[in-house]
Amino acid sequence: MSMFADPYEQFLLDYLVTKLENGSNTRRALLLYSEQITRETNFKKRLMAAIKDMEIGKHKLEAILHKHKFLNSFQFSLVVNSTNTLDGLKLVLSFKKANSNLMLKMINPIFVPLSIVIGTFYGLILYLDMLQKDLVQLRKLNPDVEQFLGIPKYFTYDFAYVGLGISIFVTAFIFFGYLYTEKYKPAWLYKVFKTQAFSDGRFMFRILNGMLSAGISFHKTSLILSKDYFKEGLRPFFKELAEMINKNKKLFIMFEKYNFPAIITADIKLSELSKTSFSEVTKALYQTCDTMYEKNINYMVLQWKFMFWMIAMLVTVIIGSDVINLVISTFTFKTLYQ
């Protein structure tokens, strides 16, 4: 659910789970819930439409929730394939707050310093415009003004535009490259960025553990995730995993193919040799991913901060100090010759 979603919508499933546990009438419970909403929001309209469908009684609760977009396709699959609706909704609630995207972690250590670099080169272009106008006037006072000012050789439009272009390209490449690979090509990202694999694993192994614990077979779980998993790049992974389960092949090979860290593949290999239940394996794996993620992400953020802030500092200090020196020299020249 969105960060800016209607607060009543955020707590609807929690409310339903509570009422189902208490044995309350679901339609009446939703009517009471709708009465708490004083404004005619889009959420309230959807909720009232769902209540009308419940009155007709042709569809189950989960189908109605899916029809009116209170459950997405993946969540609907979880509920449908669970032992009962209550267990399915509990399963959905256990996942809905998870997020494996690390973009927020990158803002301060990567994108802020890169924005400073972009701003520095853009500022240099603006200053060169001012400098060119000043030189037109100053040459009238003394033709050798460039020698007096000591203008650095790199103070050219070519250098400024190339620097601006490269810094924008690097920023866009990191931003869009991460978003694309994180969603569609996670195996590429795992090869160079193991922390992302642990971040994804925290969510993925929780889902697997939850579905297996709810009584869904590993093969069926993999088939469901191959169609509805939120990260499209891992759907082929689950499809191949289902095929390997069906052929009774070793599953750790699949994880190695997708470049999961050795600590994960080793745990899976060991569990297959010892014939540990998949439910216990997935629980151990999401705990491992939790631990490794917390250890790795702080170290990665420190590395990013050191590298990108160092680059930003060098670019800004070198160009900035030369600009300041030129401003002082220009002011001195005007004082001497005017």
Side-chain angles (χ1 to χ4, degrees):
M1 292 184 183
S2 169
M3 185 186 300
F4 303 105
D6 189 313
Y8 283 104
E9 182 169 0
Q10 294 180 28
F11 298 109
L12 176 64
L13 296 185
D14 301 83
Y15 175 79
L16 276 174
V17 166
T18 302
K19 293 302 176 183
L20 288 171
E21 286 180 327
N22 294 337
S24 303
N25 180 282
T26 309
R27 187 187 67 80
R28 185 174 297 175
L30 288 178
L31 274 173
L32 289 172
Y33 194 76
S34 66
E35 289 173 2
Q36 307 305 311
I37 308 169
T38 56
R39 294 167 53 218
E40 288 297 319
T41 61
N42 180 53
F43 165 68
K44 185 172 182 178
K45 293 175 182 177
R46 287 161 50 214
L47 182 58
M48 295 307 297
I51 292 170
K52 286 182 180 179
D53 282 351
M54 292 182 71
E55 290 173 353
I56 297 171
K58 288 185 177 180
H59 302 288
K60 291 185 177 181
L61 175 61
E62 55 267 32
I64 293 171
L65 292 174
H66 180 241
K67 177 184 175 182
H68 296 283
K69 300 181 180 180
F70 298 117
L71 292 175
N72 59 35
S73 297
F74 171 61
Q75 293 168 333
F76 178 63
S77 296
L78 291 179
V79 180
V80 168
N81 289 282
S82 295
T83 309
N84 54 61
T85 301
L86 178 58
D87 289 341
L89 290 175
K90 284 183 176 179
L91 197 56
V92 169
L93 287 174
S94 68
F95 304 142
K96 71 176 184 178
K97 294 180 181 178
N99 181 19
S100 62
N101 189 297
L102 302 180
M103 187 59 71
L104 288 176
K105 296 283 186 182
M106 299 180 181
I107 292 175
N108 183 270
I110 296 179
F111 295 114
V112 171
L114 285 176
S115 297
I116 292 172
V117 173
I118 291 171
T120 300
F121 281 110
Y122 182 68
L124 177 59
I125 293 169
L126 295 180
Y127 176 72
L128 287 174
D129 289 339
M130 296 169 56
L131 182 62
Q132 293 302 317
K133 291 177 182 178
D134 277 345
L135 287 175
V136 172
Q137 300 298 322
L138 296 177
R139 286 192 188 100
K140 295 177 182 178
L141 301 175
N142 188 332
D144 298 324
V145 62
E146 284 92 342
Q147 294 181 0
F148 180 88
L149 296 179
I151 300 173
K153 292 183 179 179
Y154 72 87
F155 263 46
T156 62
Y157 281 107
D158 287 344
F159 175 81
Y161 277 111
V162 168
L164 180 64
I166 290 174
S167 56
I168 290 175
F169 172 79
V170 170
T171 304
F173 178 79
I174 294 173
F175 181 80
F176 292 109
Y178 172 77
L179 289 180
Y180 176 79
T181 54
E182 187 266 338
K183 187 170 184 179
Y184 298 108
K185 299 290 181 181
W188 295 359
L189 198 55
Y190 298 165
K191 195 167 187 177
V192 296
F193 187 22
K194 299 299 181 187
T195 306
Q196 182 65 53
F198 291 126
S199 181
D200 285 344
R202 300 168 81 196
F203 191 35
M204 185 179 76
F205 291 119
R206 272 182 169 80
I207 290 177
L208 288 171
N209 178 255
M211 294 178 75
L212 294 172
S213 300
I216 307 171
S217 71
F218 201 1
H219 181 257
K220 191 171 185 179
T221 293
S222 300
L223 286 175
I224 293 167
L225 296 178
S226 70
K227 297 176 183 177
D228 295 315
Y229 195 64
F230 76 102
K231 189 168 289 190
E232 294 179 36
L234 284 174
R235 290 177 188 174
F237 165 80
F238 287 113
K239 184 178 180 181
E240 291 185 58
L241 194 64
E243 292 173 359
M244 295 188 77
I245 293 170
N246 193 43
K247 295 176 181 177
N248 201 28
K249 291 185 177 181
K250 296 298 182 184
L251 303 184
F252 75 89
I253 298 172
M254 194 65 224
F255 287 85
E256 285 182 340
K257 179 181 176 180
Y258 271 73
N259 300 311
F260 278 88
I263 191 171
I264 291 177
T265 56
D267 274 356
I268 296 170
K269 186 175 184 179
L270 182 62
S271 68
E272 288 185 299
L273 291 172
S274 58
K275 297 183 179 180
T276 310
S277 71
F278 290 127
S279 180
E280 291 179 19
V281 174
T282 51
K283 182 178 180 180
L285 286 171
Y286 79 64
Q287 290 172 343
T288 298
C289 287
D290 281 344
T291 302
M292 296 304 295
Y293 170 78
E294 294 299 334
K295 288 183 177 180
N296 278 273
I297 192 61
N298 293 329
Y299 177 67
M300 288 298 302
V301 169
L302 283 175
Q303 282 187 318
W304 292 336
K305 280 184 177 178
F306 178 79
M307 181 170 67
F308 288 97
W309 279 101
M310 180 65 72
I311 293 170
M313 184 182 70
L314 287 172
V315 171
T316 305
V317 168
I318 292 171
I319 295 177
S321 61
D322 284 340
V323 168
I324 292 171
N325 288 335
L326 266 177
V327 170
I328 294 172
S329 298
T330 303
F331 177 78
T332 304
F333 185 88
K334 288 178 180 179
T335 304
L336 289 174
Y337 287 92
Q338 286 182 344

